[in-house]
């Protein structure tokens, strides 16, 4: 039995009481808390089957977060005619990012929604998650006995160097959350009085402030604890959600019919049979997809470029690829006729495209999910020119006929041509012409092919004394994938010693053949 001192209310001014003379009346008010224990016989059911789910992993730096209401507990709190202390714990988690050395600082903001009085805390640790507690909020008793106070909390992580995400380069990421604390004079569920000095557990619930319909969301109660024991049971109440949640945490989702704000309640039970409860709010919004374009392949004329949709949508309302629509248009440097592809531009996740001319082009993607919501985005990109080869070869300026070898003159030729944009040289054609008039003008003499086998090093055999000009023609082959249906022989770049930029000087392409001087012996 617990003995407590009670205050009284003087009844002298109350004329309704039956006391007269020198009698004095006093009234005492006593509050007694009690509870019942009972056994209930209810039917039990068991089910079996398989559970499947789809999950799209986060692949780009994303900031997630959560808010826990530490005070009052439980929430809603019983109005007791005094100020109500409010303590909020804010957590930020940096997902799909592991370069903690690039973290400059964490910044936490908290305020009553609608107020300009913002409280700020910072964490300069180079960590991938951070938690701060704001315990200096108060709901004053002057606001009355039925109050719902909403708080807006934001966590921001700033980077030392910008970070690349799917939507561009960013120097910081932010996540804004809300929490609602209620004070009410309505009956609040109470915890049975402790036995053997057992202390009740503390329920702590982390949920996302806002989720899309069809999006898997984590209901996290693992932060709950028991000060003098262990938690043995977690019970969640998630009205409007599709999947039930059990255990320390679990995933669920809300259908399109559950748009709006929903309350989630958690009750934990410790090993002594005592319970603790708390609640949180989740706002379910429309499942609008996010259209995202990625351009793969070599962005060069006459090469295959793949337009890829990396669009995102809630797991239970995925992108309906049959309704995906692409458009491709020239911005500068090219025309619509230069854009080549097979088939059409609708009903597919990716599309292979070839551009016949360099320039700037724009791709637009429109996606629709199975819930009927859509989104569009555009991306411009440059198609660079296919650079022709640079032709250059080495040749001797003078050679001599060898009487011991049938008066042959041998010129060793070596090709030193190259592709400035790293294609490979697939064909070499060697030719020469002879200055038959010996007037220094080769233009009246025909070219004579002497090797067409893509040889880079060879010997040119000459017999006549005089001047010879050598010409080398080099043709490239694509070193990256293309779409052969749109390729003509002229698309493979070719240059010779004249058209190369720069052209090889004529003096380096001319070979002079001489007779070897006779050997004279003056001895007698």
């Amino acid at each position: 039995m617990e003995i407590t001192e009670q205050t009284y209310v003087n009844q002298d001014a109350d004329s309704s009481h039956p006391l007269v003379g020198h009698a004095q009346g006093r009234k005492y008010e006593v509050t007694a808390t009690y509870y019942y224990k009972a056994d209930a016989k209810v039917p039990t059911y068991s089910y079996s089957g398989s559970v499947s789910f789809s999950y799209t992993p986060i692949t780009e730096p994303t900031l997630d977060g959560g808010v826990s209401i530490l005070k009052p507990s439980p929430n809603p709190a019983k109005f007791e005619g005094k100020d109500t202390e409010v303590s909020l714990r804010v957590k930020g988690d940096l997902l799909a990012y592991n370069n903690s050395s690039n973290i400059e600082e964490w910044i936490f903001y908290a305020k009553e929604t609608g107020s300009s009085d913002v409280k700020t805390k910072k964490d300069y640790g180079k960590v991938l998650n951070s938690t701060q507690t704001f315990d200096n909020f108060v709901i004053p008793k002057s606001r009355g006995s039925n109050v719902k106070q909403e708080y807006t909390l934001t966590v921001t992580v700033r980077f030392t160097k910008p970070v690349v995400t799917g939507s561009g380069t960013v120097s910081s990421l932010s996540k804004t959350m809300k929490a609602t604390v209620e004070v009410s004079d309505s009956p609040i569920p109470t915890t049975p009085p402790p036995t053997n000095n057992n202390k009740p557990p503390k329920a702590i619930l982390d949920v996302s402030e806002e989720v899309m319909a069809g999006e898997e969301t984590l209901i996290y109660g693992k932060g709950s604890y028991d000060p003098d024991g262990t938690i043995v049971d977690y019970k969640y109440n998630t009205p409007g959600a599709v999947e039930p949640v059990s255990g320390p945490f679990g995933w669920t989702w809300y259908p399109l019919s559950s748009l709006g704000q929903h309350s989630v309640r958690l009750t934990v039970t410790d090993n002594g049979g005592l319970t603790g409860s708390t609640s949180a709010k989740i706002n379910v919004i429309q499942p609008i997809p996010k259209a995202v374009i990625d351009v793969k392949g070599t962005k060069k004329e006459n090469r295959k470029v793949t337009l890829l949709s990396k669009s995102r949508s809630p797991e239970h309302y995925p992108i309906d690829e049959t309704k995906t629509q692409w458009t491709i248009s020239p911005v500068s440097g090219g025309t619509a006729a230069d854009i080549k592809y097979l088939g059409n531009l609708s009903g597919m996740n990716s599309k292979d495209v070839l551009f016949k001319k360099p320039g700037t082009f724009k791709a637009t993607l429109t996606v629709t999910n199975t819930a009927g919501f859509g989104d569009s985005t555009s991306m411009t990109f440059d198609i660079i020119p296919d650079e022709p080869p640079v032709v250059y070869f080495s040749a001797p300026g003078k050679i001599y006929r060898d009487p011991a070898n049938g008066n042959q003159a041998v010129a060793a030729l070596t090709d030193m041509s190259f592709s400035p944009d790293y294609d490979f040289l697939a064909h070499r054609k060697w030719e020469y012409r002879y200055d038959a008039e010996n007037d220094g003008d080769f233009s009246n003499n025909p070219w004579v092919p002497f090797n067409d086998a893509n040889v880079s090093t060879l010997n040119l055999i000459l017999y006549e004394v005089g001047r010879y000009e050598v010409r080398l023609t080099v043709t490239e082959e694509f070193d990256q994938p293309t779409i052969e249906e749109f390729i003509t022989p002229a698309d493979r770049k070719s240059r010779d010693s004249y058209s190369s930029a720069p052209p090889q000087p004529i003096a380096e392409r001319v070979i002079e053949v001489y007779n070897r001087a006779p050997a004279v012996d003056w001895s007698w």
Side-chain angles (χ1 to χ4, degrees):
M1 182 178 66
E2 182 179 357
I3 299 176
T4 59
E5 182 179 349
Q6 300 291 327
T7 59
Y8 67 89
V9 179
N10 198 330
Q11 299 294 297
D12 288 348
D14 187 355
S15 60
S16 64
H17 66 74
L19 302 175
V20 296
H22 297 286
Q24 185 180 46
R26 295 181 179 182
K27 182 170 73 174
Y28 293 87
E29 294 182 358
V30 178
T31 301
T33 302
Y34 61 91
Y35 68 98
Y36 292 100
K37 289 185 177 180
D39 294 327
K41 293 183 178 180
V42 296
T44 60
Y45 303 91
S46 63
Y47 301 90
S48 63
S50 60
V51 177
S52 62
F53 63 92
S54 61
Y55 171 66
T56 302
I58 297 173
T59 58
E60 62 183 53
T62 303
L63 183 61
D64 197 6
V67 180
S68 301
I69 300 174
L70 304 181
K71 291 182 181 179
S73 180
N75 178 42
K78 174 74 174 176
F79 180 67
E80 297 179 347
K82 60 181 181 180
D83 294 347
T84 301
E85 295 182 359
V86 177
S87 179
L88 305 172
R89 185 182 70 180
V90 189
K91 182 179 181 182
D93 282 300
L94 191 53
L95 309 177
Y97 188 77
N98 56 16
N99 185 13
S100 59
S101 62
N102 194 39
I103 304 298
E104 181 175 345
E105 63 179 353
W106 290 83
I107 309 174
F108 296 81
Y109 306 94
K111 68 173 184 176
E112 292 185 358
T113 301
S115 171
S116 59
D117 182 16
V118 180
K119 305 180 189 302
T120 305
K121 291 190 175 184
K122 290 189 177 184
D123 178 5
Y124 294 99
K126 294 184 178 297
V127 293
L128 298 179
N129 56 71
S130 181
T131 301
Q132 294 290 329
T133 300
F134 293 89
D135 52 9
N136 47 359
F137 286 106
V138 173
I139 300 177
K141 63 182 180 180
S142 59
R143 294 187 185 177
S145 58
N146 288 284
V147 178
K148 287 186 179 182
Q149 178 59 58
E150 184 181 76
Y151 297 88
T152 301
L153 306 104
T154 301
V155 56
T156 298
V157 58
R158 295 180 58 198
F159 302 103
T160 303
K161 296 180 180 179
V163 173
V164 178
T165 69
S167 56
T169 302
V170 299
S171 58
S172 64
L173 293 171
S174 294
K175 173 77 173 180
T176 298
M177 300 150 281
K178 294 185 184 296
T180 302
V181 174
E182 298 183 37
V183 178
S184 174
D185 56 4
S186 301
I188 304 298
T190 60
T191 301
T195 59
N196 299 326
N197 296 321
N198 184 23
K199 295 179 180 180
K202 177 71 174 179
I204 297 178
L205 181 61
D206 284 331
V207 299
S208 297
E209 170 205 355
E210 188 174 82
V211 299
M212 288 187 183
E215 177 184 8
E216 290 280 339
T217 184
L218 179 64
I219 309 298
Y220 193 85
K222 194 175 181 179
S224 305
Y225 64 92
D226 183 32
D228 59 354
T230 58
I231 294 177
V232 297
D233 187 47
Y234 298 80
K235 282 188 169 55
Y236 299 88
N237 184 17
T238 56
V242 175
E243 302 291 345
V245 179
S246 61
F249 59 88
W251 295 85
T252 190
W253 62 282
Y254 292 84
L256 193 59
S257 58
S258 293
L259 297 180
Q261 195 170 73
H262 295 268
S263 177
V264 178
R265 188 164 186 83
L266 167 64
T267 299
V268 294
T269 304
D270 68 8
N271 57 330
L274 300 187
T275 62
S277 299
T278 189
S279 64
K281 300 288 186 182
I282 293 180
N283 187 36
V284 181
I285 62 174
Q286 292 178 335
I288 299 175
K290 177 67 174 177
V292 179
I293 297 175
D294 192 16
V295 180
K296 298 290 188 181
T298 304
K299 293 188 279 292
K300 184 164 69 173
E301 63 176 310
N302 286 314
R303 303 306 194 271
K304 183 176 73 173
V305 175
T306 300
L307 303 179
L308 180 64
S309 171
K310 287 194 171 181
S311 305
R312 301 184 296 271
S313 186
E315 297 89 327
H316 297 278
Y317 299 118
I319 300 294
D320 183 354
E321 288 188 6
T322 63
K323 298 180 180 178
T324 297
Q325 181 68 47
W326 295 91
T327 59
I328 313 168
S329 58
V331 176
S332 62
T335 66
D338 297 323
I339 304 171
K340 303 294 183 181
Y341 52 86
L342 300 172
N344 55 51
L345 295 176
S346 60
M348 62 202 66
N349 184 62
S350 63
K351 187 65 181 178
D352 293 335
V353 187
L354 182 141
F355 299 88
K356 298 297 294 182
K357 296 291 176 60
T360 301
F361 297 84
K362 180 172 74 172
T364 300
L365 170 65
T366 300
V367 295
T368 304
N369 63 19
T370 55
F373 294 87
D375 186 38
S376 295
T377 189
S378 296
M379 173 184 284
T380 58
F381 51 91
D382 294 325
I383 299 297
I384 63 174
D386 184 3
E387 300 290 344
V390 176
V391 177
Y392 187 83
F393 62 90
S394 66
K398 295 180 180 181
I399 57 176
Y400 294 88
R401 297 196 304 172
D402 184 3
N405 192 22
N407 280 328
Q408 292 183 1
V410 180
L413 305 177
T414 301
D415 179 26
M416 294 184 289
S417 304
F418 65 93
S419 172
D421 55 355
Y422 307 106
D423 289 323
F424 67 89
L425 307 183
H427 185 256
R428 296 172 177 86
K429 180 180 180 181
W430 297 88
E431 302 169 279
Y432 74 87
R433 58 184 176 180
Y434 177 57
D435 181 8
E437 296 82 7
N438 196 26
D439 59 1
D441 182 7
F442 291 93
S443 60
N444 295 324
N445 300 283
W447 288 104
V448 178
F450 65 90
N451 190 285
D452 196 22
N454 196 34
V455 175
S456 59
T457 302
L458 73 166
N459 291 328
L460 172 59
I461 308 299
L462 301 173
Y463 292 93
E464 301 293 332
V465 173
R467 292 160 52 89
Y468 296 81
E469 181 188 0
V470 178
R471 181 172 69 180
L472 171 63
T473 302
V474 176
T475 303
E476 291 182 344
E477 181 55 80
F478 300 153
D479 201 26
Q480 305 89 21
T482 186
I483 304 177
E484 289 292 345
E485 288 85 343
F486 303 114
I487 299 300
T488 65
D491 291 327
R492 290 174 167 86
K493 299 295 183 179
S494 178
R495 290 291 185 270
D496 60 26
S497 309
Y498 286 87
S499 59
S500 178
Q504 186 170 359
I506 182 66
E508 297 179 3
R509 294 184 274 119
V510 172
I511 303 172
E512 293 190 53
V513 178
Y514 293 89
N515 282 321
R516 189 178 300 279
V520 177
D521 186 359
W522 292 96
S523 62
W524 48 58

